[in-house]
Amino acid sequence: MAANKKQPSPLASLLAELRTLTDRIAAAEAGEDPRAVKKLRLGLEQVTAQLKNVTHKLDPVLRPESIFDPTDPNTSGRVVALTLVAQTKHPLSKIPEFYGAGVYAIYYRGNFGPYASLKGMDHPIYVGKADPDNQAAKDAVSQGTKLSARLNEHAKSIRSAGTTLDINDFDCRFLIVQTGFQKSAEDYLINFFKPIWNSETKICFGLGKHGDSSETRVNKRSPWDTMHPGRKWADATTENQKAPETIVEQIGAHLAKHRPYADIHEIFERFTEDMHQLNLDHFYTPAHGSVELEEAAAPAGDATS
């Protein structure tokens, strides 16, 4: 007795019909009415999308929810930022002239009351970038001396504010980076540390201002110059943007809400948390949705009682 033939699945039968129907559609005339042709085309595109969705659902292989792209500006910004905080600190008062553009962070370890929470911490009071002279520069010499010039410009402003600040209480880190990466790194640093002197934090901003003239423009004194008088062009302005007590209150509230990082270990822990949130190890299938992979067991020594 002959063995029974295996019956095709309903989907296999439908696929055979679809092939026949596809051949008929390909051979059919669409007509000459542009509107009718467009309607037919849109209808076929819709059916094609539906068929593609069916095809995806038949694929049992897990798909990653995202792909790590080192060229993505956000990714490169994270890497450059983390590399910056791994650099050695240098006294801000002793930065020589050198070639290169890039990013930097300034740290305070003095006794100015409102900044007490920053003393002894590895948390910048200000971060910034220095763009190259030539936007097409491919090496440090072609970039010019913009990074060292920017650091020394800030040092000059701090020296001017000698009644409240001492330049010897400031350190800095800097990183010379390839042209084009400084902006994304600065953005990440500002978002990560939320430094109180950066304008984006909207508290004690104004360090980076370049000599507003009270005679040519109606300018109010920046919060930084209100807290740290001494720059002649700023002292010539009589009206503050904020009252000193308001600035002090905002600094205290900000540092209480965004606790300064104590050391590189805390910074790296937060950085790894940010990277983990990229969901690079999350998978799914079109048919079943998200799929969780089993995590490896922690070493015995890491187990908590």
Side-chain angles (χ1 to χ4, degrees):
M1 184 175 179
N4 292 331
K5 277 190 174 182
K6 188 175 182 180
Q7 294 296 318
S9 68
L11 185 57
S13 300
L14 289 172
L15 180 59
E17 294 179 22
L18 180 61
R19 287 197 176 101
T20 301
L21 186 57
T22 301
D23 291 338
R24 291 176 58 190
I25 291 173
E29 294 290 338
E32 297 182 358
D33 183 350
R35 291 185 179 180
V37 171
K38 181 179 180 181
K39 186 176 181 180
L40 289 170
R41 178 175 57 79
L42 293 176
L44 286 171
E45 288 177 355
Q46 183 179 13
V47 171
T48 301
Q50 290 176 310
L51 289 172
K52 189 174 183 180
N53 187 47
V54 172
T55 302
H56 287 170
K57 288 184 177 180
L58 293 175
D59 186 357
V61 179
L62 299 183
R63 302 175 181 218
E65 291 185 358
S66 59
I67 297 176
F68 182 73
D69 181 4
T71 64
D72 181 271
N74 292 326
T75 302
S76 59
R78 294 170 191 266
V79 174
V80 173
L82 185 64
T83 305
L84 169 67
V85 299
Q87 302 307 300
T88 301
K89 286 182 181 177
H90 302 277
L92 184 60
S93 62
K94 299 179 180 179
I95 300 299
E97 185 178 30
F98 57 78
Y99 287 113
V103 291
Y104 60 90
I106 296 175
Y107 300 82
Y108 181 68
R109 49 184 171 79
N111 296 314
F112 187 66
Y115 305 155
S117 298
L118 295 175
K119 188 172 183 179
M121 309 298 278
D122 203 353
H123 194 102
I125 195 169
Y126 186 80
V127 299
K129 67 178 176 67
D131 294 322
D133 286 325
N134 177 5
Q135 295 300 319
K138 296 299 182 182
D139 58 71
V141 175
S142 300
Q143 288 178 335
T145 59
K146 298 302 287 287
L147 184 52
S148 62
R150 182 62 54 82
L151 288 168
N152 281 303
E153 178 184 312
H154 293 325
K156 180 180 178 181
S157 292
I158 291 169
R159 287 189 179 96
S160 298
T163 58
T164 56
L165 299 174
D166 184 343
I167 187 61
N168 295 311
D169 291 331
F170 288 86
D171 298 319
C172 67
R173 286 185 172 113
F174 56 84
L175 183 68
I176 301 168
V177 302
Q178 186 59 263
T179 302
F181 290 97
Q182 63 274 7
K183 178 63 170 66
S184 58
E186 181 194 41
D187 289 344
Y188 185 77
L189 286 164
I190 292 172
N191 183 64
F192 189 95
F193 289 110
K194 298 177 174 56
I196 57 175
W197 279 6
N198 278 85
S199 59
E200 292 80 0
T201 311
K202 300 179 180 179
I203 298 176
C204 191
F205 54 88
L207 171 66
K209 295 190 75 175
H210 300 277
D212 291 334
S213 171
S214 59
E215 297 178 357
T216 58
R217 287 187 288 173
V218 179
N219 291 302
K220 295 181 180 180
R221 188 182 293 112
S222 76
W224 192 90
D225 288 290
T226 298
M227 295 293 288
H228 307 296
R231 293 194 287 194
K232 292 182 179 180
W233 54 266
D235 290 345
T237 303
T238 58
E239 188 176 357
N240 294 322
Q241 291 187 37
K242 296 181 185 180
E245 55 271 20
T246 299
I247 302 170
V248 171
E249 181 181 346
Q250 290 178 341
I251 290 172
H254 179 80
L255 293 176
K257 181 178 180 181
H258 305 285
R259 184 179 64 84
Y261 294 99
D263 52 40
I264 189 67
H265 302 292
E266 281 192 3
I267 294 170
F268 186 73
E269 183 178 352
R270 162 68 192 284
F271 177 82
T272 54
E273 287 176 0
D274 280 0
M275 294 300 289
H276 187 69
Q277 290 172 6
L278 296 178
N279 295 332
L280 297 174
D281 57 353
H282 289 198
F283 293 84
Y284 75 100
T285 66
H288 303 292
S290 296
V291 177
E292 290 189 12
L293 299 186
E294 182 178 350
E295 294 187 10
D302 292 347
T304 56
S305 55

